[in-house]
Amino acid sequence: MIDTHTHIYMPEFDTEGQDVGSCCGQCETADRAVQAGVDMMILPNVDLSTIEPMRALHSKRPGCTAMAMGLHPTEVRDTWRSDLKAVTDELETHLSDYCAVGEVGIDLYWDKTFADEQMQALDIQAGKATALGLPIIIHCREGLAQTLEVLQGHPDARAIFHSFGGTTDDVEAIRRHGDHYFGINGIVTFKNSRLAEVLPAIGAQRILTETDSPYLAPTPHRGRRNESAYIPLIVAAIARGLGISPDEAAETTTYNSKMIFNL
């Protein structure tokens, strides 16, 4: 099994008394995931402050982690051009270290002030991903129309719509712009979610498993800190939604992840 989107390098996973830079709690979290059957965890970047801790964890657990480099849409602010240049420089300088561009996209849920700038940042990063032959991890919240407008200019982009929680109509709209993948996380286990009913429209061959740790913990851990060790709960929910066995769901989603991220 593979967690295609997890931020377990963040300070939420620090242990009490943890030395600065030790990654003790983060390493323990990664080890728990491996013990639960998760073979690989992809760590997407957020902003300039997360590059160092992300790389630190990867350096300590290189066999079970991979990294993606990008500027998160909520971090697109007044300094976005210089921030994006720094992120792009990191990507190009250490290209072999990264399996994707991400996480990037459009988020208009909290604030629409930088909506145009978010679209520009996504456009630049989608172009960079295509030029480098990398997939792009899309964060899309209240911004599907804008995201698809940008992707329309990048017909060769290979995108993962991370933390997908949309409708069948959303799936169809995305499909009109490309043969993209969909990251399914703990949302699929929530009682008030209809996501399980949408899974057949996506199809097993385009589903990826993710946690988005430390957020969106699956039932029965909802409301608590999420971690990659909970991937089996998400796999089981996907299996139920598709009417297949958990083993088949694990095998198929793992294969999908290896193909899109070239793992």
Side-chain angles (χ1 to χ4, degrees):
M1 291 177 286
I2 296 178
D3 186 348
T4 61
H5 199 110
T6 180
H7 300 282
I8 58 170
Y9 56 82
M10 286 184 165
E12 284 87 341
F13 297 93
D14 288 353
T15 54
E16 186 175 353
Q18 176 173 310
D19 293 334
V20 175
S22 71
C23 297
C24 178
Q26 289 79 4
C27 289
E28 291 174 354
T29 304
D31 293 343
R32 281 195 298 274
V34 172
Q35 291 167 7
V38 180
D39 303 307
M40 179 60 63
M41 289 155 273
I42 296 176
L43 313 174
N45 189 56
V46 178
D47 58 23
L48 299 187
S49 72
T50 55
I51 296 174
E52 183 177 350
M54 180 180 69
R55 291 190 65 90
L57 175 58
H58 177 62
S59 71
K60 293 181 182 297
R61 293 294 184 273
C64 64
T65 62
M67 300 184 295
M69 180 51 55
L71 182 64
H72 193 287
T74 61
E75 307 310 306
V76 173
R77 298 168 185 163
D78 290 325
T79 60
W80 74 272
R81 289 191 181 277
S82 59
D83 291 348
L84 183 55
K85 183 182 185 305
V87 163
T88 301
D89 288 347
E90 166 65 23
L91 174 65
E92 294 180 333
T93 303
H94 303 98
L95 184 58
S96 62
D97 291 345
Y98 295 106
C99 67
V101 170
E103 90 187 77
V104 306
I106 305 291
D107 190 319
L108 304 180
Y109 180 78
W110 299 108
D111 188 0
K112 296 180 174 64
T113 303
F114 293 98
D116 290 342
E117 290 82 356
Q118 285 187 30
M119 291 181 71
Q120 292 178 59
L122 174 57
D123 182 50
I124 292 169
Q125 294 182 96
K128 182 62 64 176
T130 302
L132 295 175
L134 294 174
I136 183 167
I137 300 171
I138 299 287
H139 171 110
C140 179
R141 192 173 189 190
E142 301 294 333
L144 182 59
Q146 293 85 348
T147 300
L148 295 180
E149 181 180 338
V150 173
L151 289 183
Q152 189 170 357
H154 301 276
D156 296 326
R158 297 177 297 130
I160 299 96
F161 279 78
H162 138 70
S163 193
F164 182 76
T167 65
T168 299
D169 287 343
D170 293 333
V171 174
E172 293 175 353
I174 292 168
R175 285 264 167 77
R176 287 195 291 270
H177 289 77
D179 186 17
H180 301 308
Y181 287 72
F182 298 78
I184 304 298
N185 57 33
I187 294 172
V188 75
T189 71
F190 296 172
K191 287 184 178 180
N192 60 346
S193 171
R194 306 294 295 271
L195 182 56
E197 301 172 14
V198 179
L199 297 182
I202 299 173
Q205 286 69 36
R206 288 298 177 268
I207 292 175
L208 307 178
T209 52
E210 61 164 74
T211 59
D212 199 19
S213 301
Y215 317 109
L216 298 173
T219 304
H221 305 287
R222 189 176 183 184
R224 299 194 287 272
R225 186 192 72 180
N226 198 6
E227 60 178 85
S228 295
Y230 298 155
I231 279 287
L233 296 171
I234 295 163
V235 169
I238 290 171
R240 289 192 295 271
L242 292 175
I244 60 179
S245 70
D247 286 346
E248 183 178 352
E251 180 179 352
T252 302
T253 56
T254 297
Y255 176 82
N256 297 343
S257 302
K258 290 180 177 179
M259 291 298 101
I260 187 64
F261 291 109
N262 194 30
L263 299 175

